[in-house]
Amino acid sequence: MTIYQFLKVKILVFLFIGLIIGSYVLSHRIYQNKEISSYETFYKNEEKIALDILKPLWSEPNPEVNLNQERIKVLVIEGGGAKGLYALRVLDYLEKKTGKPISELYDVMGGTSIGSMIVSLLSVGEKGKPKYSAEDLVTIFPSLAQKTLEPDWMQNFLSGYGLFSPKINNQKFIKSLQSYYGDTPLSKTLNHLVLFGYNFSTTTIDAFHSRGNKLESADPLLYQLVGGATSFFGVSPPNKILLSPLYSPQFIGDAALVLNNPLGPLMIELVKMYPNKKFLINYIVIAPREMPDTINFPFYSGWIKAEELFVPLIKTAQNQLVREYMKSLASVYKFDLLLEIGLEQNIEWSNIHSFDYSEKNIRKIDDFSKLILHENKDALDSIVQELLKD
């Protein structure tokens, strides 16, 4: 082959590759414009739904919390993606041991990200009773996660696996949630619910209470709010929520961006609302409690390895900070008991992917969760005894 022929072949190969890349970029731009247009239509429809259902509620107060007991029982669940199945296994154990639904065992429930989805589903009522038990959610979790949080192959392809645009189609996500929640407003939950979301419109963390405060804005539909509170930036667009007929809708996203662990802010909210009360706090830790060998962090092992360690390190630092923070808070407000339902181990759990919702990964999480429950049975039984005291 002559040099001319060699260069000719090479140029043709580069032209072919360029044509493929150019076609993909062009098709993605067309797809993205179409998707943005469909989002606008979707949001207008969602606003109409909210207006039709919630208009009578704007001037009404939320139902007051009837918490006359001396001690208030609080459940808090942090974010953790597919590892939320572990939290459900813990709650299923508590339900079976006490013979009571989670909504009766706790007075107040709060969460971030997948934690907000779990506590809100357990607080959805149907004819005065919980619509779901923890066991129900354990059973449907794989299909729920794959239906709502796992991008399909076409969305993966068109988004370049998240490189060019979000991997999860927000419209499908929100509509999927509606099938589980129905049109229940936030104020109609069985418990005092506190869900945290990141408000992209105001760049603040917002705590959405279902009890205790007069409605200064609309009462969000639960599925819309949870859809926003579990929409992780870059993976799914934040959800547009109509909070008032007088103001423009605001975009609410996943608070785990800056607040994966909502325990501290939640307790600050509660001690103001319920002064002179004792609190029994059950906090389900999904992230590792501590990371070994952080001193020997491999700075020079490449960005891929660094990225793998970076997220667990952030979660670990958050958890350690919250523990110290809660110790200080407890010294002032005299918490009756602070129980962490968490992981003593770390390495194996850290190596399980939090955002892989495949059957294989969820099965791995479930097997590991059962092992953790078995190893911490005595600690869980002591929690059961505390929950049954009053």
Side-chain angles (χ1 to χ4, degrees):
M1 181 183 291
T2 65
I3 294 176
Y4 171 74
Q5 289 174 320
F6 174 75
L7 290 174
K8 186 178 178 181
V9 170
K10 209 164 187 180
I11 289 169
L12 287 172
V13 169
F14 279 123
L15 284 173
F16 180 70
I17 293 172
L19 182 64
I20 291 175
I21 294 173
S23 299
Y24 178 82
V25 171
L26 180 62
S27 64
H28 181 268
R29 180 60 59 88
I30 294 170
Y31 158 76
Q32 197 171 34
N33 289 340
K34 183 180 177 184
E35 188 177 37
I36 290 169
S37 175
S38 65
Y39 275 149
E40 289 173 353
T41 303
F42 170 73
Y43 285 136
K44 285 178 184 176
N45 292 336
E46 287 292 287
E47 287 170 29
K48 186 177 185 307
I49 291 171
L51 277 167
D52 291 344
I53 295 174
L54 302 175
K55 208 167 185 179
L57 298 173
W58 262 299
S59 60
E60 296 178 7
N62 280 336
E64 292 299 323
V65 189
N66 183 20
L67 296 178
N68 297 320
Q69 66 272 28
E70 184 181 345
R71 185 171 72 160
I72 297 173
K73 291 176 284 188
V74 184
L75 172 65
V76 188
I77 304 177
E78 67 179 13
K83 291 180 181 178
L85 182 55
Y86 161 69
L88 286 172
R89 279 289 179 193
V90 170
L91 298 177
D92 180 39
Y93 184 90
L94 297 180
E95 280 192 341
K96 287 174 177 172
K97 281 289 184 177
T98 60
K100 295 182 178 183
I102 293 299
S103 58
E104 288 184 18
L105 290 174
Y106 295 97
D107 304 301
V108 182
M109 301 199 293
T112 297
S113 197
I114 195 68
S116 70
M117 186 182 289
I118 291 171
V119 296
S120 59
L121 281 169
L122 290 169
S123 195
V124 171
E126 194 171 62
K127 297 179 180 178
K129 295 182 179 180
K131 185 175 182 179
Y132 304 103
S133 66
E135 184 178 23
D136 292 334
L137 295 185
V138 166
T139 303
I140 67 174
F141 185 82
S143 61
L144 169 66
Q146 288 160 17
K147 189 176 179 182
T148 60
L149 300 169
E150 181 77 351
D152 57 36
W153 68 269
M154 183 172 287
Q155 184 74 10
N156 261 327
F157 173 75
L158 290 172
S159 68
Y161 284 82
L163 185 62
F164 300 107
S165 60
K167 291 173 69 174
I168 295 176
N169 184 301
N170 188 267
Q171 299 176 57
K172 292 179 181 176
F173 176 43
I174 302 299
K175 284 299 182 187
S176 297
L177 287 179
Q178 186 180 19
S179 65
Y180 292 97
Y181 285 91
D183 291 327
T184 305
L186 175 63
S187 67
K188 302 301 182 185
T189 54
L190 298 174
N191 303 81
H192 178 178
L193 211 61
V194 189
L195 306 182
F196 289 88
Y198 182 78
N199 192 324
F200 282 87
S201 303
T202 60
T203 63
T204 57
I205 290 289
D206 288 348
F208 295 91
H209 286 265
S210 65
R211 300 284 190 276
N213 299 318
K214 287 188 176 180
L215 290 174
E216 296 175 357
S217 59
D219 183 8
L221 289 173
L222 197 51
Y223 80 89
Q224 292 177 327
L225 180 57
V226 172
T230 53
S231 293
F232 200 82
F233 180 70
V235 177
S236 174
N239 193 31
K240 196 175 185 181
I241 298 177
L242 189 66
L243 296 177
S244 168
L246 303 177
Y247 306 104
S248 59
Q250 297 178 329
F251 284 92
I252 305 298
D254 196 328
L257 287 164
V258 290
L259 183 75
N260 191 57
N261 185 326
L263 180 56
L266 174 61
M267 291 314 302
I268 288 177
E269 297 266 336
L270 294 183
V271 295
K272 287 188 291 186
M273 292 182 72
Y274 307 116
N276 305 315
K277 296 281 188 179
K278 290 183 179 179
F279 294 92
L280 168 65
I281 307 164
N282 287 165
Y283 160 48
I284 299 185
V285 185
I286 296 177
R289 290 194 59 181
E290 54 189 45
M291 288 288 288
D293 304 324
T294 50
I295 296 173
N296 300 319
F297 186 82
F299 289 100
Y300 304 104
S301 61
W303 71 268
I304 293 177
K305 185 65 177 175
E307 186 181 46
E308 288 175 358
L309 290 171
F310 188 59
V311 172
L313 273 170
I314 289 176
K315 289 181 178 178
T316 303
Q318 282 188 353
N319 286 341
Q320 290 171 346
L321 181 64
V322 165
R323 280 188 207 95
E324 294 304 315
Y325 182 71
M326 291 306 293
K327 283 179 185 175
S328 301
L329 205 57
S331 66
V332 177
Y333 291 103
K334 309 298 181 188
F335 295 141
D336 191 49
L337 193 60
L338 175 62
L339 293 172
E340 283 189 1
I341 309 172
L343 311 174
E344 296 294 343
Q345 60 68 52
N346 37 60
I347 298 175
E348 190 174 351
W349 184 249
S350 299
N351 290 335
I352 298 176
H353 205 296
S354 295
F355 301 107
D356 178 358
Y357 299 97
S358 65
E359 289 183 18
K360 182 179 179 182
N361 194 59
I362 287 178
R363 193 161 50 245
K364 187 190 296 185
I365 290 170
D366 198 25
D367 290 342
F368 204 75
S369 299
K370 292 174 186 175
L371 177 64
I372 297 167
L373 292 183
H374 177 73
E375 292 180 350
N376 293 275
K377 185 177 180 300
D378 291 344
L380 287 170
D381 287 341
S382 69
I383 292 170
V384 169
Q385 291 173 12
E386 284 293 331
L387 290 173
L388 291 175
K389 279 185 179 178
D390 45 30

